């Protein structure tokens, strides 16, 4: 469903010069699977997911979603994904219902399908008590639910969650995770980024640990734990990152020695 | 709110004006008259006022309060007695200084006159040498300056706006002269030299100026009455002082006065309101969405970027148009009400019965022209607002945009600027954005049925829609650029930025650097204009031509080549790549030799056939061009100044640094057009802008396809040389070789006319075939190579963390 091949993305940064936010990243995600992108802040998770959602273009490499190329057929790709991140806010001047309805129309859903879909969605997400509340007056939890409703209003086969639980209290986060789980059970192809180990352990079928734009390890959590002889997810994560840091430091020293 | 505000604003403003006018009327200015008892008849003063008859509008008498010394001596003035006493004291001090000033000035004048005749005036300063006289004059000058200074301070400190000093015995003097005239006994002019009144005012003080103008009006009216009395005593007719007595006949009908009023007011307002109406909604829907974090939500929906921009654009345009229309309606209604009101509308254009609103036809035109105007501003504002990181940053862009629009409208409002200048048929104004609409509207509001203006409606609308589409395209470009959409709100640190510029250099310049290079060239051109102008005028008339040519060469090198080469040296790692310094394929060199020869006649004829379009050159410019290219200057200098220097310098800048930078975003065609436009704009004179832009496109194409600067230099040199050759040949033939020329074979290719050689259809047909074939060949050849160069991945220098940059290893 999602196929990412050798994607690289660079930015110009005043402080650090040219930075590779993503360096030769490849992975695949199948339907009915939750793929976790685990990495610290600034690892390149958001950049990767933005490329998948066609908002950014990769500097090199290709990515396809349901067989559509994110660079060449962005509109087709956008029709088939639901995207939710901490950056996809909701409109202050629209109610939850209006917002979901508006996006449903943007996706070109026929009016009767849209209305029944909205009713069902608001039912399952338990949003009926604030369907006429303005975005500005919603609590964080309500906003998150409205965002999810907006992202899946067109029933997309692929759903991308970029840190959907950041800034939420435990109760709301739990509900969001439950929603993700139920979407997986509907057979959706889900990619999920986070920096919280517990979420990965609970939800993800496979994970990729990403750091400084590169994937350090990839596979089912249990396989990784066996492979690196580290039963604790947190320790595994730190081990991998530490090892990567050491490697780059050595290459840099070598480079400097060679240069001087 | 946007809609309600203008509807309330103007009536409120009107009300404010109404009460202001009321308040102003109650502030009379103080005029002090010294020596009232010496005033001749008829009476000038009436108690504390001037006699109302002397004013054109008798109501004005209340606006001046007169304090006289006679009244104060008599203890008059009532409650103001002490204040009046104070005023008179100040006035008397002033009077002393004024008298001193007068006598010194008289002496100074006499000395000056005497000195001018080179013979000491014996009656005033016997036996004084010219040197001594000059010393005395200097002393007087200093003395005068000191007195003036004191006078100014004293006058400013007093509460007097105008001081009238009537000299002693003025009445007796006038009566004496009157008698002498009646008895026909006036022998010479000395009879008329008696002391005259002095009026003291301060031109820098508005209150004093207003008061003085009123006093002047009164005194003039009063004086002509005295003259009339003198005439009647002589038995002469009253009309004696006015042998001509011309009287104006104002043909302006009431409707025309209204039309002229609205035609001055509405275009400017329409432009300003269309900008402001578009700006705030644009900032809200673009930068505001970034700020509120809903931009990405919108970007992941299946709508294309163009669709999103169009949606936003129509929203903004709606606001822009309704703001403009509501404002105009409100101001029109308020204006009509205010001006037809007898109290507030006093002295305004239509004293009789108020003014009428523009006709329905005018309103219809207004509406039609508002559409492209609003579209242009909406798209511009949207592009700017998309660029802004936050709505706050967006607001900063309003001021420059508003200043430019106001500048344009002020230009349009100035009298004499019309869409169709009477004496010179020029279509130039009708293609300048904003100005064209404002001017057309000005003409149409003046007379909605004028066919003269109708002719211009087509081009104005077409070009305006074209500009709007361009602006819209720019807005979509902005919206499609991830660099713009995800601009970080990073702190601007000049140090870091400069370090980044100097350390993270790339082989070729970036788009921004190329744009900045152009701005630098324009600024340098502007900055050196004065210096070069002074250098030219510093030599004698016959040397001026040579001097101008020299200055031309220097300015080419310093203003055009230097910025480009320096920027390439400082900001890029490869001078060769940045300035395209490489040896080209020989076939391109061949093309560069032949193409100018066939292209030149086409350009000449094109310009000649478009003379109706451009405003004619100013006489000064024509003279300058003539004097530089006439036969008196050495040929080598002309060739260097007009062909060699531009070929090298302009190519280095425009096909070197700027075009290379513009090519960086991978769009070669856009880069060629942009570089050609910068090249054209640099030439400033409209005709030249047009031709150089065209030639710039050809030059850009050659540079991109040959990947070298050299063919461009060759082309540029030959093209400019052609115009020198044409000039020389024309002069030569005009000087008595015309007959010979007409008999020769050449006459089927060119004919000799007043402005120089003109080419025949045969030449043009040959040239156009030749040049199209060659341009097609250039377009096709090296296409793949050119593209390979143009597509520049983000990491031209390879992926490398900054710590690995040898130059920046810290």
């Amino acid at each position: 469903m999602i196929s990412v091949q050798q994607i690289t993305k660079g930015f110009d940064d005043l402080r650090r010069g040219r930075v590779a936010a993503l360096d030769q990243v490849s992975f695949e995600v199948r339907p009915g699977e939750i793929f976790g992108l685990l990495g610290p802040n600034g690892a390149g998770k958001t950049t990767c997911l933005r490329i998948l959602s066609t908002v950014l273009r990769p500097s090199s490499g290709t990515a396809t979603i349901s067989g559509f190329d994110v660079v060449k057929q962005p509109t087709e790709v956008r029709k088939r994904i639901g995207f939710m991140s901490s950056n996809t806010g909701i409109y202050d001047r629209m109610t939850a219902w209006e917002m979901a309805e508006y996006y449903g129309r943007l996706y070109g859903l026929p009016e009767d399908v849209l209305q029944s879909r909205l009713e069902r969605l608001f039912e399952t997400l338990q949003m009926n008590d604030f369907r006429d509340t303005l975005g500005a007056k919603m609590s964080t939890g309500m906003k998150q639910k409205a965002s999810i409703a907006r992202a899946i209003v067109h029933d997309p086969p692929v759903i991308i969650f970029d840190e959907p639980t950041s800034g939420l209290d435990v109760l709301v986060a739990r509900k969001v995770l439950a929603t993700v789980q139920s979407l997986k059970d509907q057979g959706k192809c889900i990619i999920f980024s986070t920096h919280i180990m517990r979420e990965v352990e609970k939800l993800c079928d496979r994970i990729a640990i990403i750091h400084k734009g590169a994937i350090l390890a990839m596979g089912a959590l249990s396989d990784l734990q066996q492979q690196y002889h580290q039963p604790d997810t947190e320790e595994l994560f730190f081990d991998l990152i530490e090892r990567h840091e050491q490697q780059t430091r050595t290459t840099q020293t070598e480079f400097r020695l060679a240069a001087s | 709110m946007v809609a309600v505000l203008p509807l309330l604003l103007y009536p409120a403003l009107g009300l404010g004006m109404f009460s202001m006018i009321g308040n102003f009327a109650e502030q009379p200015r103080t005029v002090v008259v010294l020596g009232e008892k010496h005033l001749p008849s008829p009476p000038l003063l009436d108690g504390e006022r001037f006699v109302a008859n002397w004013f054109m509008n008798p109501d004005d008498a209340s606006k001046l309060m007169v304090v006289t010394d006679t009244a104060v001596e008599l203890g008059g003035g009532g409650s103001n007695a002490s204040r009046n006493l104070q005023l008179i004291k100040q006035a008397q001090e002033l009077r002393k200084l004024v008298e001193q000033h007068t006598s010194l000035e008289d002496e100074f004048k006499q000395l000056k006159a005497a000195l001018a005749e080179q013979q000491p005036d014996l009656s005033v300063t016997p036996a004084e040498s010219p040197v001594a006289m000059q010393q005395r004059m200097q002393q007087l000058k200093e003395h005068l300056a000191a007195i003036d200074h004191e006078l100014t301070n004293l006058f400013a400190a007093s509460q007097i706006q105008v001081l009238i000093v009537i000299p002693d015995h003025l009445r007796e003097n006038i009566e004496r002269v009157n008698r002498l005239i009646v008895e026909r006994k006036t022998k010479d002019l000395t009879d008329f030299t008696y002391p005259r009144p002095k009026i003291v005012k301060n031109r820098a003080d508005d209150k004093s100026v207003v008061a003085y103008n009123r006093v002047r009006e009164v005194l003039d009216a009063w004086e002509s009455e005295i003259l009339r009395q003198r005439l009647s005593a002589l038995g002469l007719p009253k009309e004696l002082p006015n042998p001509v007595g011309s009287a104006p006949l104002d043909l302006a009908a009431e409707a025309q006065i209204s039309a002229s009023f609205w035609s001055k007011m509405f275009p400017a307002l329409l432009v300003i309101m269309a900008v402001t109406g578009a700006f705030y909604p644009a900032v809200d829907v673009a930068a505001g969405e970034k700020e509120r974090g809903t931009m990405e939500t919108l970007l992941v929906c299946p709508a294309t970027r163009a669709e999103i921009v169009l949606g936003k654009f129509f929203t903004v345009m709606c606001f822009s148009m309704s703001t403009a229309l509501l404002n105009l309606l409100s101001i029109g209604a308020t204006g009509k009400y205010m001006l037809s009101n007898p109290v507030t509308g006093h002295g305004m254009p239509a004293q009789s019965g108020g003014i009428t609103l523009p006709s329905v036809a005018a309103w219809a035109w207004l509406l039609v022209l508002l559409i492209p105007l609003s579209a242009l501003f909406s798209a511009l504002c949207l592009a700017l607002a998309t660029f802004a990181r936050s709505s706050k940053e967006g607001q900063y862009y309003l001021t420059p945009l508003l200043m430019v629009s106001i500048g344009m409208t002020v230009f349009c409002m100035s009298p004499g600027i019309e869409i169709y200048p009477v004496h010179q048929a020029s279509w130039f104004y009708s293609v300048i954005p904003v100005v064209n609409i404002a001017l057309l509207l000005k003409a149409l509001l003046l007379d909605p049925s004028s066919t003269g203006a109708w002719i211009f409606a087509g081009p104005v609308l077409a070009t305006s829609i074209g500009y709007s589409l361009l602006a819209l395209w720019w807005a979509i470009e902005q919206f499609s650029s991830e660099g713009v959409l995800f601009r970080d709100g990073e702190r601007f640190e000049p140090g870091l930025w400069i370090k980044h510029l100097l350390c993270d250099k790339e082989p070729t310049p970036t788009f921004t650097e190329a744009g900045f290079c152009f701005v630098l060239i324009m600024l340098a051109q502007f900055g050196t204009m004065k210096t070069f102008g002074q250098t030219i005028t510093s030599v004698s008339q016959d040397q001026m031509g040579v001097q101008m040519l020299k200055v031309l060469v220097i300015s080419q090198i310093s203003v055009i080549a230097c910025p480009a080469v320096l920027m390439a040296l400082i900001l890029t790692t490869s001078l060769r790549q940045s300035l395209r310094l490489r040896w080209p394929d020989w076939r391109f060199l061949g093309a560069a030799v032949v193409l100018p020869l066939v292209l030149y006649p086409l350009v000449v004829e094109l310009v000649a056939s478009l003379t109706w379009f451009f405003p004619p050159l100013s006489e000064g410019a024509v003279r300058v061009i003539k004097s530089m290219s006439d036969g008196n200057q050495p040929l080598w200098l002309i060739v260097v100044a007009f062909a060699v220097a531009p070929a090298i310098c302009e190519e280095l800048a425009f096909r070197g640094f700027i075009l290379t930078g513009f090519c960086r975003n991978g769009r070669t065609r856009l880069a060629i057009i942009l570089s050609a436009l910068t090249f054209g704009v640099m030439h400033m004179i409209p005709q030249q802008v047009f031709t150089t832009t065209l030639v710039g496109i050809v030059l850009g194409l050659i540079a991109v396809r040959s990947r070298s600067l050299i063919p461009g230099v060759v082309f540029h040199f030959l093209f400019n040389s052609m115009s020198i050759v044409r000039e020389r040949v024309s002069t030569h033939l005009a000087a008595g070789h015309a007959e010979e020329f007409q008999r020769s074979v050449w006459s089927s290719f060119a004919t000799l006319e007043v402005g120089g050689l003109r080419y025949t259809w045969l030449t043009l047909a040959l040239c156009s075939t030749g040049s199209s074939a060659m341009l097609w060949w250039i377009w096709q050849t090296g296409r793949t190579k050119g593209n390979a160069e143009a597509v520049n991945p983000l990491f031209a220098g390879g992926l490398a963390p900054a710590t690995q940059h040898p130059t920046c290893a810290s």
Side-chain angles (χ1 to χ4, degrees), chain B residues 603 606-607 614 679 686-696 719:
Chain B
V603 172
L606 185 64
V607 171
F614 294 105
F679 181 54
Q687 281 97 322
Q688 280 206 326
V689 170
F690 175 71
T691 45
T692 46
T693 304
L694 287 185
V695 176
F719 193 88

Side-chain angles (χ1 to χ4, degrees), chain A:
Chain A
M1 266 321 224
I2 303 177
S3 163
V4 176
Q5 302 296 330
Q6 307 271 315
I7 278 207
T8 297
K9 177 75 185 174
F11 290 109
D12 267 338
D13 187 280
L14 281 187
R15 241 168 256 279
R16 293 172 292 165
R18 279 163 215 119
V19 188
L22 283 181
D23 192 6
Q24 309 273 331
V25 168
S26 308
F27 59 82
E28 285 196 14
V29 189
R30 292 177 292 272
E33 180 184 51
I34 300 183
F35 182 79
L37 269 183
L38 183 63
N41 291 330
K45 300 185 300 270
T46 300
T47 307
C48 178
L49 298 183
R50 274 182 176 167
I51 287 176
L52 285 181
S53 70
T54 76
V55 171
L56 291 183
R57 278 177 290 262
S59 304
S60 68
T62 55
T64 57
I65 284 177
S66 304
F68 293 102
D69 190 297
V70 291
V71 178
K72 290 173 196 141
Q73 296 147 300
T75 312
E76 293 301 315
V77 168
R78 283 201 290 266
K79 276 185 193 160
R80 284 163 182 80
I81 59 166
F83 182 84
M84 195 202 120
S85 82
S86 48
N87 293 317
T88 51
I90 59 169
Y91 285 99
D92 281 354
R93 290 170 241 177
M94 275 186 177
T95 67
W97 183 272
E98 282 167 354
M99 170 100 178
E101 197 177 35
Y102 175 63
Y103 270 82
R105 285 186 189 137
L106 274 177
Y107 283 108
L109 296 184
E111 201 60 23
D112 50 335
V113 177
L114 175 64
Q115 292 303 332
S116 64
R117 168 97 188 136
L118 281 176
E119 288 293 350
R120 242 182 312 135
L121 208 57
F122 273 62
E123 192 63 41
T124 46
L125 290 174
Q126 296 169 356
M127 291 170 61
N128 278 325
D129 29 335
F130 64 89
R131 67 198 266 171
D132 293 325
T133 308
L134 283 179
K137 293 188 176 160
M138 286 186 206
S139 68
T140 322
M142 291 175 180
K143 281 186 182 166
Q144 209 70 357
K145 276 187 181 175
S147 248
I148 295 177
R150 190 267 308 152
I152 60 176
V153 66
H154 56 304
D155 200 12
V158 174
I159 306 168
I160 300 169
F161 288 106
D162 184 14
E163 304 203 357
T165 57
S166 75
L168 296 184
D169 64 41
V170 192
L171 272 178
V172 185
R174 200 182 158 80
K175 278 185 187 157
V176 169
L177 294 183
T179 315
V180 175
Q181 183 66 45
S182 76
L183 285 170
K184 175 207 164 174
D185 297 339
Q186 290 168 30
K188 306 286 183 197
C189 168
I190 296 170
I191 183 165
F192 181 94
S193 86
T194 183
H195 60 271
I196 304 165
M197 313 293 157
R198 286 279 303 145
E199 294 182 355
V200 175
E201 284 171 2
K202 262 174 87 174
L203 274 180
C204 299
D205 300 303
R206 284 191 308 128
I207 62 163
I209 294 177
I210 184 167
H211 180 55
K212 291 197 172 167
I215 289 186
L216 306 182
M218 186 162 53
L221 189 57
S222 53
D223 292 348
L224 289 181
Q225 282 166 346
Q226 270 182 7
Q227 191 186 338
Y228 293 95
H229 311 294
Q230 190 55 270
D232 188 89
T233 323
E234 214 162 275
E235 292 303 320
L236 172 73
F237 183 70
F238 289 130
D239 262 8
L240 282 166
I241 287 178
E242 185 59 31
R243 214 178 295 171
H244 180 77
E245 290 280 313
Q246 250 165 15
Q247 257 178 7
T248 40
R249 236 172 281 151
T250 3
T251 34
Q252 274 179 17
T253 331
E254 276 165 15
F255 181 85
R256 264 194 217 147
L257 284 175
S260 63

Side-chain angles (χ1 to χ4, degrees), chain B residues 416-700:
Chain B
I417 301 293
E418 285 176 38
I419 195 150
Y420 48 101
V422 181
H423 300 297
Q424 51 203 41
S426 158
W427 287 67
F428 188 64
Y429 287 147
S430 62
V431 299
I432 305 179
V434 183
V435 168
N436 59 0
I437 292 183
L439 284 180
L440 180 62
L441 199 61
K442 189 175 167 184
L444 285 169
L445 283 174
L446 210 52
D447 181 9
S449 58
S450 85
T451 43
W454 276 68
I455 303 169
F456 288 88
V460 167
L461 281 175
T463 48
S464 300
I465 289 169
Y467 290 127
S468 311
L469 288 178
L470 266 181
L472 194 59
W473 172 77
W474 186 44
I476 293 174
E477 281 292 300
Q478 287 285 305
F479 213 82
S480 310
S481 152
E482 51 189 56
V484 168
L485 285 183
F486 295 98
R487 243 155 45 103
D488 304 323
E490 204 174 330
R491 202 149 50 107
F492 179 73
E493 289 177 48
L496 255 185
W497 182 69
I498 290 168
K499 192 175 156 219
H500 166 74
L501 269 185
L502 298 180
C503 293
D504 308 324
K505 288 203 262 189
E506 290 166 43
T508 54
T510 61
F511 192 93
T512 326
E513 285 165 355
F516 186 71
C517 181
F518 170 62
V519 174
L520 204 65
I521 289 176
M522 292 304 286
L523 285 179
Q525 227 177 10
F526 180 70
T528 51
M529 216 180 259
K530 198 176 149 204
T531 323
F532 287 144
Q534 280 169 350
T535 321
I536 292 172
T537 46
S538 66
V539 297
S540 62
Q541 194 73 34
D542 53 329
Q543 289 287 307
M544 218 178 247
V546 175
Q547 185 79 356
M548 254 186 257
L549 291 172
K550 282 180 190 164
V551 165
L552 205 62
V553 177
I554 294 166
S555 76
Q556 283 276 348
I557 293 170
S558 60
V559 171
I560 295 171
C562 272
V565 175
L566 283 180
M567 279 186 84
L569 276 175
I570 296 170
L571 299 177
T572 67
T573 53
S574 166
L575 197 64
R576 274 172 61 93
Q577 277 188 48
S578 301
L579 301 181
R580 297 176 197 268
L581 302 176
R582 74 183 264 291
W583 196 251
D585 190 336
W586 62 271
R587 291 177 302 171
F588 282 106
L589 274 182
V593 172
V594 184
L595 196 54
L597 306 182
V598 288
L599 214 52
Y600 180 75
L602 292 178
V603 172
V604 168
E605 289 303 315
L606 185 64
V607 171
S609 64
L610 286 176
T611 38
W612 51 269
F613 178 79
F614 294 105
L617 285 176
S618 68
E619 272 177 41
V622 172
R623 210 170 40 240
V624 167
I625 292 170
K626 271 254 150 59
S627 74
M628 283 200 291
S629 54
D630 68 11
N632 302 331
Q633 319 305 343
L635 184 63
W636 68 268
L637 194 56
I638 290 181
V639 172
V640 168
F642 279 109
V644 178
I648 295 171
C649 299
E650 292 179 356
E651 288 310 297
L652 276 175
F654 289 96
R655 254 60 62 184
F657 196 83
I658 292 178
L659 181 60
T660 313
F662 284 167
C663 278
R664 268 287 287 276
N665 67 1
R667 287 194 272 182
T668 318
R669 256 178 281 182
L670 183 69
I672 292 176
I673 290 172
L674 277 181
S675 76
L677 276 177
T678 56
F679 181 54
V681 169
M682 192 267 299
H683 286 83
M684 307 236 253
I685 303 166
Q687 281 97 322
Q688 280 206 326
V689 170
F690 175 71
T691 45
T692 46
T693 304
L694 287 185
V695 176
I697 291 176
V698 175
L699 279 166

Side-chain angles (χ1 to χ4, degrees), chain B residues 154-487:
Chain B
L154 210 57
F155 191 68
S158 72
Q159 294 293 306
I160 305 169
Q161 267 84 44
V162 172
L163 169 66
I164 305 174
V165 179
I166 309 292
D168 292 350
H169 316 300
L170 177 67
R171 186 167 8 137
E172 288 84 354
N173 275 325
I174 289 179
E175 278 164 9
R176 175 176 58 84
V177 172
N178 278 357
R179 261 199 317 278
L180 284 174
I181 294 174
V182 172
E183 293 162 15
R184 300 282 197 275
K185 279 183 183 161
T186 49
K187 289 182 209 70
D188 51 24
L189 289 171
T190 49
D191 286 332
F192 292 92
T193 51
Y194 49 88
R196 307 288 178 129
K198 270 265 189 238
I199 305 176
V200 184
K201 58 159 180 161
N202 181 357
R203 197 171 49 161
D205 177 15
D206 280 348
K207 285 183 278 186
S208 175
V209 170
V210 171
Y212 172 74
N213 288 340
R214 293 234 158 87
V215 168
R216 189 77 260 170
E217 180 190 329
V218 169
L219 291 182
D220 286 346
W222 176 65
E223 189 169 9
S224 34
E225 185 53 37
I226 296 178
L227 182 64
R228 228 168 281 147
Q229 285 181 355
R230 184 180 278 179
L231 289 171
S232 68
L234 280 168
L236 288 170
K238 279 190 287 187
E239 289 76 22
L240 189 71
N242 311 324
V244 178
S246 58
L249 173 59
D250 192 353
L251 290 176
E254 205 169 285
Q256 268 177 309
I257 297 171
S258 311
S260 128
F261 176 70
W262 296 123
S263 80
K264 284 196 186 75
M265 195 152 164
F266 271 10
L269 272 172
L270 195 72
V271 171
I272 291 166
M273 289 304 156
V275 182
T276 42
F279 196 82
Y280 293 102
V283 168
D284 192 56
V285 299
E289 259 202 274
K290 277 192 200 175
E291 201 171 62
R292 291 189 291 269
T294 50
M295 186 58 103
E296 215 170 322
T297 321
L298 196 61
L299 292 178
V300 294
C301 85
T304 62
R305 302 285 164 91
E307 283 167 348
I308 297 175
V309 174
L310 276 179
K312 290 184 181 299
F313 166 74
F314 283 122
T315 315
V316 174
M317 201 171 138
C318 254
F319 273 98
S320 167
M321 285 186 60
S322 47
T323 309
L325 280 179
L326 281 173
N327 273 286
L328 290 196
L329 271 176
S330 178
I331 211 167
T334 314
K336 180 177 156 61
Y337 177 75
M338 290 282 292
L339 294 177
S340 44
N341 184 323
V343 180
T344 49
H346 187 77
M348 290 304 279
Q351 277 155 328
S352 52
I355 56 172
T356 49
L357 279 176
S359 66
V360 179
W363 278 104
W365 272 113
L366 204 99
L367 204 61
V368 169
L369 290 173
L370 181 59
I371 294 170
L373 192 69
S374 281
L376 177 63
F377 282 130
S378 304
L380 270 182
C381 290
L382 200 56
L384 284 176
T386 311
F387 183 74
R389 289 186 194 99
S390 61
S391 13
K392 219 179 226 166
E393 188 186 329
Q395 312 281 356
Y396 296 145
Y397 299 134
L398 175 62
T399 317
L401 192 66
L402 203 60
M403 285 313 284
V404 172
S405 331
I406 289 177
M408 283 176 163
T409 47
V410 166
F411 171 75
C412 296
M413 279 202 298
S414 36
I417 301 293
E418 285 176 38
I419 195 150
Y420 48 101
V422 181
H423 300 297
Q424 51 203 41
S426 158
W427 287 67
F428 188 64
Y429 287 147
S430 62
V431 299
I432 305 179
V434 183
V435 168
N436 59 0
I437 292 183
L439 284 180
L440 180 62
L441 199 61
K442 189 175 167 184
L444 285 169
L445 283 174
L446 210 52
D447 181 9
S449 58
S450 85
T451 43
W454 276 68
I455 303 169
F456 288 88
V460 167
L461 281 175
T463 48
S464 300
I465 289 169
Y467 290 127
S468 311
L469 288 178
L470 266 181
L472 194 59
W473 172 77
W474 186 44
I476 293 174
E477 281 292 300
Q478 287 285 305
F479 213 82
S480 310
S481 152
E482 51 189 56
V484 168
L485 285 183
F486 295 98
R487 243 155 45 103

